[in-house]
Amino acid sequence: MQIIEMLAPAGTNCRSGRQRTGFRGITVHNTSNWSKGAGAINHANYLRGSGKNNYVSWHYVIDKDYAVRCIPENEVAWCAGDGNGDGNFKTINIEICDNSDGNIRKATDNAVELCAQILRRYGISNVSGHLFQHNNWTGKDCPYDIRRGNPYDWNTFVNKVQEKLGGKPSPSGPDQILTAGSKVRFNGVFKINEIIKPNKKYPNGAVGSYQTCYGAPCGTNDYIPCGPIGICDFNGNNVNYNGVAKVGGYWKCDKIFTVIGVELPTRYTKNGVAILEADGVRFRVDCGPLYEVSNS
Ligand SMILES: [Zn+2]
């Protein structure tokens, strides 16, 4: 599969230039356009022609040969039908072509590959909670073909993406249960909501991210020591492990931690809490953003 760029013209209805406000994952669609010739490049050309006047767009349209980027990933594409909701504003939208003279199996396999590439870039190794059907946002019967098992069903699609990412496929299974000794890594890119400058306790400084602090402002022992983390951009790119943390910036972390202890879920910590250590400091993290990696 070749990824090519044929961007829609900026400043049009289909490409407003509004910035995405976060990243929850990828929303998958089928074009439901069975016309002959309605492949990826034709769809990209449509957004460069009359389609530019409509509030309908997609980041990628994909067929048996090409994944065509029509809207930059950091901008909003009007695809999920949920207005200012997370589908439009916090996911990357992919349209899979189902034109009658195409190859739906190859196009869908290409979409699997593209999803894995994007999630990997965002530091996500467990697809659970990061792949959405258009249907999840509005109830629309989309992705039409996948929802009918053509060429395979949604669970198979999700499992294929997980296989490409490595790790154990558990997209629809029960939540992981961490215990002392579990090996985990951070799953995703996190916004920096608070910082602590280097001091006696935190020799490299520390950051607070509400995603790792049960969605709430962080408290004592909830800050992440800066030693193992990398400062990056919103998309998880340009990682700098010696970068200086700033409020409003982003971080990710590839290090594998050993869980020292766990706290069971409470009203306020629905996912439970794991106790980890870095820079000689123990800290508490919401288990939600942690991904268990196998010991082998
Ligand atoms: Zn759709």
Side-chain angles (χ1 to χ4, degrees), residues 28-30 79 95 134 140 142-143:
V28 177
H29 308 254
N30 280 119
C79 204
E95 288 277 1
H134 183 177
K140 185 176 175 181
C142 177

Side-chain angles (χ1 to χ4, degrees), residues 74-96:
N74 60 327
E75 296 180 15
V76 169
W78 306 113
C79 204
D82 65 340
N84 291 336
D86 283 0
N88 278 337
F89 274 78
K90 292 185 180 171
T91 72
I92 291 173
N93 283 276
I94 295 179
E95 288 277 1
I96 302 169

Side-chain angles (χ1 to χ4, degrees), residues 81-288:
D82 65 340
N84 291 336
D86 283 0
N88 278 337
F89 274 78
K90 292 185 180 171
T91 72
I92 291 173
N93 283 276
I94 295 179
E95 288 277 1
I96 302 169
C97 293
D98 46 17
N99 48 309
S100 57
D101 57 347
N103 181 328
I104 187 77
R105 179 169 293 275
K106 201 134 185 283
T108 309
D109 283 346
N110 284 343
V112 165
E113 176 62 39
L114 181 64
C115 286
Q117 284 184 21
I118 293 170
L119 293 176
R120 196 179 295 124
R121 223 171 340 104
Y122 281 83
I124 289 167
S125 43
N126 183 352
V127 299
S128 180
H130 295 293
L131 284 178
F132 302 93
Q133 301 181 34
H134 183 177
N135 174 269
N136 295 141
W137 303 115
T138 62
K140 185 176 175 181
D141 190 7
C142 177
Y144 184 91
D145 297 279
I146 292 176
R147 288 169 63 77
R148 283 157 182 76
N150 181 25
Y152 35 77
D153 66 13
W154 179 249
N155 275 345
T156 305
F157 183 90
V158 171
N159 282 326
K160 280 174 177 277
V161 176
Q162 182 65 63
E163 270 169 36
K164 293 258 178 201
L165 287 172
K168 56 179 184 184
S170 59
S172 50
D175 276 1
Q176 61 193 0
I177 295 173
L178 300 178
T179 56
S182 296
K183 306 278 190 209
V184 294
R185 59 182 291 264
F186 283 94
N187 198 28
V189 175
F190 304 93
K191 187 170 188 180
I192 299 169
N193 300 105
E194 303 175 32
I195 55 166
I196 293 180
K197 294 204 168 125
N199 58 27
K200 251 194 181 149
K201 178 173 179 185
Y202 298 107
N204 297 304
V207 297
S209 290
Y210 298 167
Q211 284 164 281
T212 63
C213 297
Y214 344 112
C218 304
T220 312
N221 302 323
D222 293 344
Y223 297 97
I224 317 280
C226 285
I229 72 170
I231 304 305
C232 60
D233 64 22
F234 171 73
N235 291 316
N237 294 326
N238 300 315
V239 188
N240 180 354
Y241 284 95
N242 298 311
V244 178
K246 293 197 182 75
V247 170
Y250 294 85
W251 63 273
K252 65 195 279 190
C253 182
D254 291 330
K255 180 186 156 87
I256 293 173
F257 294 87
T258 301
V259 174
I260 295 167
V262 292
E263 297 171 14
L264 293 175
T266 67
R267 260 178 77 188
Y268 303 103
T269 61
K270 292 193 173 66
N271 299 311
V273 172
I275 299 162
L276 309 179
E277 185 176 309
D279 290 349
V281 186
R282 288 188 177 193
F283 58 99
R284 299 165 76 244
V285 181
D286 185 316
C287 290

